[in-house]
Amino acid sequence: MNMEPIVALEIGTSRVRVFVGEAREDGGLMITAVGDSASSGMRKGEMFHFDSVCSCVETALHQAEEAANLTINEVYLAMSGSQIEGMPNRGEIPVDGEITPDHVEHVLRVAREVTLPADRQILHSIVGQYSVDGLAGVRPVGMTGKTLAADVLIVHGLYSRMLNLVRVAKSQKLEVAELLFSGLCSAMSALSAEQKLQGVLLIDVGGGTTDYVAYAQARIADAGVISVGGDHVTNDIARAFRLPTTEAEALKIQFGDAMVSAAGRTRRLALPAGAGETPRTAKLSDLQTIVHLRMEETLGLIRARLQQQKLLHLLGSGVVLTGGGAYLRNVAPLAEKVFGLPCEIGAPRNVSGLTANLAVPEYATGVGAVLCGYKSVRTRAEQTRSVWQKLGHWFGIG
Amino acid sequence: MASTWDNPSDEGGDLRCRVLVAAVGGGGGSVLGHALADWPEPPPVAAVNTDARALAGTGIALKVMIGRTVAKGMGTGGDAELGRLAANEDLDALRALVTDYDLLVLVASLGGGTATGVAPVLARIAREEGLLTLAYVTTPFEFEGVRRQEQAQEGLTALKQYADAVVVLPNQRLHALLSPGTPLAEAFSFVNRMMSAGIRGLWTLLARDNMLNLDFSDLQSLVENSGNECCFGYGEGQGADKATQALQKLLAGPMLEKGRVVANSGAMILSVIGGPDLSLSELEMIHRRFQEAARPGARISMGAAVMDDWAGRLALTVLAAEHWLPATRGAAAETPKPSSPFFREPSAKETPARRGAKGGQQSELPLGGAAHDRGRFQDVAPTIYAGADLDIPTYARRGIRIPSGTS
C-alpha cells in the first residue's frame, strides 16, 4: 500500500515535537524525520500564550520539513491537560437471535452516547470489549443471544482548548487530521500486545502533566491526566532552595532522585549562587526528599484513582513509565513501591528510524501519534475499499 | 492527601512532618495530661517545668526539668522573671528537646510564672532551630487577679514575637459557660477539656489520612491572615441533629463571642470529627453556616475525620483569625507587626524572610507567605485536587522543613 507520510505534532509543556513517519514494505513504520523545539507558552499542558506556542510549532515544523524534504500539510495532533478525562461507559441493546454487524454498530452508538456538558467534546471513544448475555470479551458477530453490550472508554476534553490548538496548527497552514490524547499515543507506541492483554498501566510523566492509561482484562479501562509534571518538581526545588527556575532545573537533572538515600544525608551540594551572594550548600537528602514527596504524591493520585475504579489488581504486567520524567533517577523503584507492581521504563517499540535513536522514553507520545495516524489511515482505506467492493458487487464487477 | 495506601516505608518516618507537643508549666501539663488520657495515637509529648513535684505527677513521659539553680526544684511562685531565668539556665536542654522536629505545638496557661516566663524562651529556641511554632495558650479568669492578667498579657506579647501563630483561649470567655456555683477545680478542668479538644481537633485533621483532609497550607493561610493571633472554639453535638447542636454551641456560645469572632475573621479552619454516620449534608450545612456568618471573602478551610467509635457524635473545632486582616500583602504592611515573621518583608516577595537568621546559620522560607507563593504557576489556574493545591510543593503542604541552604 502506498501511503502519504504521516506527520504527528506533539504540543507539550516542555517540548514541541514533529515526527514524520512512512510505512515500510513489511507494514511497519519508519520515522524519517524529527523536529524538536523547546516549548514556551504552555503551562501544565494548557496553552496560555498563543503566539509563543505558534512560533515553537513553526521551529519544530521547519526542522522536520527540512530533514524529510517535504512540505507538511496535515498533522495528527497530540494534546494533554487536566481538562482531559477518561470515562468508562457501557451500552446495552436487546438482540433477537444472531448478532449482525448492524447490531454491533447499534450497540456502539448507544455506548458512545453520553451526555457531556456543552463545553466538552469527545476526543476518543475506544471500544473495550463486547459481551453477549453477560459473557465478556467475545467477538459478537455470528453469535446468538438476548443482549449485546459494549464497554467503551470515552476520553473527552474542553472544546475551547481543542479549538485553540487547532488554531495554532492553522496558523502554520496545517490541517488537523485528528486530535489525539497524548497518553493514548504513548500507550500505542510503548506497550506490547501482550502487556495490554495481561493488564498494564502506562504513566507518561511530561513537563506539565502526567498522563495515564490503564489496560485491564485485555481492554482499555481508564485514562486521565494529573496536571503535575516535571515542572512541579523544578518549582518545588526552586522554592525550597530559593533558586531561579533554570538553576533548579539543572540541579534536578544532575542530582534529582525519587528516593532518599542514606548517602544523601551526609553529602552536601553546592547551590548555585548569584553575583554577590554568599555560596550556600544543601544536603543531598533534602533535594531527594523534595523530589520523592512530589513524585510519590503524583503516582499516589493515580493509584488512588485506579483503586477507586477497582483496576489496581488487574495490572498483571505492572507499570510502564514514559516521558521525560522517566529519566528521573530511581523513579521506577518508587513506582514499584507506590503501586506494589513491577515497573519498567518504556520507549517506542518496533519503530525504525533513519537518523537518531528513537527508542527513548520522551519520544513515546510523538511516535505513538504517528502510529495512531497510520492506523486511522489504514482503517479509512479499508472502509473505502469495502465500499468500492460493495459498489463493484452491485454493478456486477469484482 | 490521597496517598492512603499502607506503606510501611523504612524512610517514611523521616519524611513526615515531625511534631512535638510541649506543655510548659503546670497549666499546660494538666491540659495535655487531660488530652493524653484518651488519645489513641498521640504525638510525642514533653513536659517542661521547674517544679519537680509537678513533673513527677504528670502523666507525660518525657519530662524536662529546668532551672535547678534558680528555682531549686520548686515552682516559680507566679514570678515570670524567675521562669525566664530558669529557662535561660537550661537553654541547651530546651534546644536538645526541639532540635529534631519540624513543628512545635506549645501549650501553656499564661499568667503563671513558669508558663509566662518559659514559653517565649522555648518559642525563641524553636525558631532558632528552624521549627515552626504553634502556641495554644489560655489567659486567666478575671477572678485570678489583675497581676496575673497583666503578666499573661506581657507573656502573650513576648510569645507572639517568636511563635508563628498563637491560639488564645481567654478563660474569661468560658466563664459564661459555667454555672455560678461551679467549684474552682471544675472550672479549670473545664478549661483543660476545651483546650485539649481544640488541640486534638486540629491534630487529628492534620496528622491522619482523613475523609476530607486539612493540610499545612491551610494552616499557613490561616496564620498569614491572622496577624499571628488566633482563637478557637469547640462544640459537640449528639443524636440526629448533632451538627445543628454543635453549630449552635459554637456560633451562639461565648468561645467565639456569639459569632462575633467569626463575623470579623478573615480566615478559618473548621475541623469536624464524627462517626461513620457523618453525612455529606451535615458537612455542607456546617460549611454553609460558617460561610454565611463570616465576612465575604473569608478563607474557610474544612477537614473531616471519621472515628469508628464516634457514631451519633460530632465535634466541631474552629480555629479563627481573631482579627480581620485583608489578605493582600500591601495591606498587611499597614498593620504594625514588626516582630511577626510573616509580615517582616510583606512587599519583598523575591526575598523571603530568613527565619532563624539570628541564632543558627540556617534560613528557610517562612511558614506564612509561602502558602500562596506558587512560583512559576502564579499566573495559571491552580490545580486543585481533593481540596489541595497541587502547585504548592508537596513538602510545604505536609509541613516538612527543608532548610534553604547553609552558608
Side-chain angles (χ1 to χ4, degrees), chain B residues 53-194:
Chain B
R53 272 180 59 193
L55 273 178
T58 174
I60 299 166
L62 182 57
K63 302 170 207 285
V64 180
M65 165 101 177
I66 53 167
R68 280 187 182 78
T69 322
V70 293
K72 303 182 177 61
M74 317 276 274
T76 50
D79 184 351
E81 184 56 25
L82 192 58
R84 204 177 59 77
L85 289 173
N88 283 327
E89 187 185 324
D90 284 297
L91 285 179
D92 291 341
L94 294 176
R95 202 177 293 280
L97 174 68
V98 299
T99 188
D100 281 332
Y101 294 93
D102 298 314
L103 174 70
L104 172 69
V105 177
L106 191 157
V107 184
S109 299
L110 293 181
T114 310
T116 315
V118 177
V121 180
L122 183 60
R124 192 190 78 216
I125 290 171
R127 159 162 300 176
E128 285 170 4
E129 291 297 308
L131 278 83
L132 306 163
T133 304
L134 189 61
Y136 274 86
V137 297
T138 59
T139 54
F141 287 107
E142 272 168 21
F143 65 72
E144 292 180 64
V146 178
R147 182 168 163 268
R148 272 179 93 90
Q149 289 284 357
E150 283 175 357
Q151 188 158 289
Q153 282 311 317
E154 283 162 23
L156 187 57
T157 311
L159 188 56
K160 278 191 198 167
Q161 276 189 36
Y162 301 113
D164 292 291
V166 183
V167 183
V168 188
L169 174 61
N171 283 351
Q172 194 59 31
R173 280 193 191 163
L174 294 176
H175 197 256
L177 286 174
L178 299 165
S179 53
T182 310
L184 192 61
E186 206 172 291
F188 282 113
S189 139
F190 182 70
V191 170
N192 290 346
R193 219 161 50 233
M194 285 295 136

Side-chain angles (χ1 to χ4, degrees), chain A residues 337-353:
Chain A
K337 207 169 118 182
V338 169
F339 290 96
L341 292 166
C343 173
E344 62 177 53
I345 305 296
R349 317 164 73 99
N350 299 328
V351 176
S352 57

Side-chain angles (χ1 to χ4, degrees), chain B residues 32-374:
Chain B
L32 280 183
H34 208 287
L36 281 172
D38 55 343
W39 201 329
E41 293 164 56
V45 177
V48 179
N49 210 336
T50 57
D51 188 338
R53 272 180 59 193
L55 273 178
T58 174
I60 299 166
L62 182 57
K63 302 170 207 285
V64 180
M65 165 101 177
I66 53 167
R68 280 187 182 78
T69 322
V70 293
K72 303 182 177 61
M74 317 276 274
T76 50
D79 184 351
E81 184 56 25
L82 192 58
R84 204 177 59 77
L85 289 173
N88 283 327
E89 187 185 324
D90 284 297
L91 285 179
D92 291 341
L94 294 176
R95 202 177 293 280
L97 174 68
V98 299
T99 188
D100 281 332
Y101 294 93
D102 298 314
L103 174 70
L104 172 69
V105 177
L106 191 157
V107 184
S109 299
L110 293 181
T114 310
T116 315
V118 177
V121 180
L122 183 60
R124 192 190 78 216
I125 290 171
R127 159 162 300 176
E128 285 170 4
E129 291 297 308
L131 278 83
L132 306 163
T133 304
L134 189 61
Y136 274 86
V137 297
T138 59
T139 54
F141 287 107
E142 272 168 21
F143 65 72
E144 292 180 64
V146 178
R147 182 168 163 268
R148 272 179 93 90
Q149 289 284 357
E150 283 175 357
Q151 188 158 289
Q153 282 311 317
E154 283 162 23
L156 187 57
T157 311
L159 188 56
K160 278 191 198 167
Q161 276 189 36
Y162 301 113
D164 292 291
V166 183
V167 183
V168 188
L169 174 61
N171 283 351
Q172 194 59 31
R173 280 193 191 163
L174 294 176
H175 197 256
L177 286 174
L178 299 165
S179 53
T182 310
L184 192 61
E186 206 172 291
F188 282 113
S189 139
F190 182 70
V191 170
N192 290 346
R193 219 161 50 233
M194 285 295 136
M195 277 289 273
S196 62
I199 295 165
R200 282 187 57 182
L202 185 70
W203 166 261
T204 307
L205 269 291
L206 285 174
R208 297 183 7 157
D209 281 320
N210 293 304
M211 193 165 90
L212 194 61
N213 256 343
L214 285 172
D215 65 35
F216 273 81
S217 64
D218 297 317
L219 191 59
Q220 285 166 13
S221 131
L222 177 76
V223 165
E224 194 177 56
N225 284 285
S226 71
N228 84 354
E229 183 174 339
C230 305
C231 69
F232 85 96
Y234 177 81
E236 257 194 59
Q238 277 172 357
D241 59 344
K242 52 191 185 296
T244 321
Q245 287 175 24
L247 273 168
Q248 177 66 20
K249 281 185 191 158
L250 266 176
L251 292 173
M255 286 179 88
L256 298 175
E257 301 203 327
K258 300 193 168 116
R260 186 195 59 79
V261 173
V262 175
N264 282 338
S265 172
M268 271 169 274
I269 290 181
L270 311 180
S271 138
V272 185
I273 300 174
D277 56 342
L278 181 64
S279 74
L280 189 62
S281 60
E282 283 170 322
L283 291 177
E284 268 169 4
M285 177 176 73
I286 290 168
H287 193 265
R288 198 180 57 243
R289 283 287 298 280
F290 272 90
Q291 200 128 47
E292 285 163 5
R295 63 166 63 224
R299 292 178 61 97
I300 301 178
S301 319
M302 184 155 108
V306 170
M307 309 286 224
D308 291 339
D309 51 349
W310 271 55
R313 248 179 103 187
L314 185 145
L316 179 56
T317 314
V318 180
L319 210 53
E322 175 91 54
H323 307 290
W324 161 248
L325 285 177
T328 54
R329 288 161 192 277
E334 290 162 19
T335 322
K337 289 274 177 194
S339 56
S340 158
F342 305 110
F343 300 98
R344 203 175 283 153
E345 291 163 89
S347 56
K349 249 192 281 182
E350 301 306 314
T351 51
R354 281 172 178 257
R355 279 176 52 91
K358 215 198 301 176
Q361 299 288 306
Q362 289 185 330
S363 55
E364 66 180 75
L365 282 166
L367 174 64
H372 306 301
D373 182 3
R374 306 168 59 246

Side-chain angles (χ1 to χ4, degrees), chain A residues 10-11 27 35 54 62 64 74 133 146 160 210 228 257 260 263 279 288-289 301 321 323 326 345 365 375 387 398:
Chain A
E10 177 198 2
I11 302 180
C54 288
H62 278 168
E74 192 189 61
D133 293 348
K146 283 194 165 18
S160 59
T210 299
V228 172
D257 195 325
V260 181
Q288 291 169 331
T289 302
L301 292 175
L321 286 169
I345 305 296
T365 302
K375 197 175 146 190
V387 169

Side-chain angles (χ1 to χ4, degrees), chain A residues 43-44 48 82 212 225-228 230-232 234-237 239-242 245 249 259-262 265 268 271 278-282 286-287 289-290 292-297 299-305 307 337-338, chain B residues 1-7 9-12 14-16 350-354 363-365 370-371 373-377 379-383 385 388-398 400-407:
Chain A
R43 283 271 188 287
K44 297 193 279 185
F48 75 94
S82 62
Y212 64 90
V225 178
I226 306 281
S227 65
V228 172
D231 285 354
H232 283 82
T234 304
N235 191 49
D236 294 357
I237 296 171
R239 283 271 318 274
F241 298 134
R242 291 189 281 115
T245 304
E249 177 78 19
M259 297 294 253
V260 181
S261 64
R265 289 181 210 283
R268 298 196 77 90
L271 296 178
T278 357
R280 292 177 293 152
T281 60
D286 282 336
L287 177 69
T289 302
I290 297 166
H292 172 81
L293 288 171
R294 172 60 81 176
M295 293 309 296
E296 187 195 41
E297 175 182 64
L299 296 174
L301 292 175
I302 299 175
R303 186 191 195 274
R305 158 85 186 189
Q307 195 162 41
K337 207 169 118 182
V338 169
Chain B
M1 273 317 309
S3 49
T4 46
W5 64 93
D6 310 316
N7 195 358
S9 140
D10 43 339
E11 289 134 325
D14 291 333
L15 298 180
R16 285 197 201 104
E350 301 306 314
T351 51
R354 281 172 178 257
S363 55
E364 66 180 75
L365 282 166
D373 182 3
R374 306 168 59 246
R376 74 193 301 184
F377 305 114
D379 48 355
V380 290
T383 302
Y385 202 99
D389 182 351
L390 296 187
D391 292 339
I392 295 170
T394 317
Y395 73 84
R397 269 180 282 123
R398 300 207 182 149
I400 289 163
R401 181 163 57 101
I402 306 279
S404 72
T406 308
S407 31

Side-chain angles (χ1 to χ4, degrees), chain A residues 81-105:
Chain A
S82 62
Q83 30 81 356
I84 294 178
E85 284 173 36
M87 182 170 95
N89 198 42
R90 168 172 261 232
E92 207 171 72
I93 56 163
V95 285
D96 202 9
E98 191 182 325
I99 295 163
T100 65
D102 285 348
H103 285 128
V104 174
E105 207 174 294

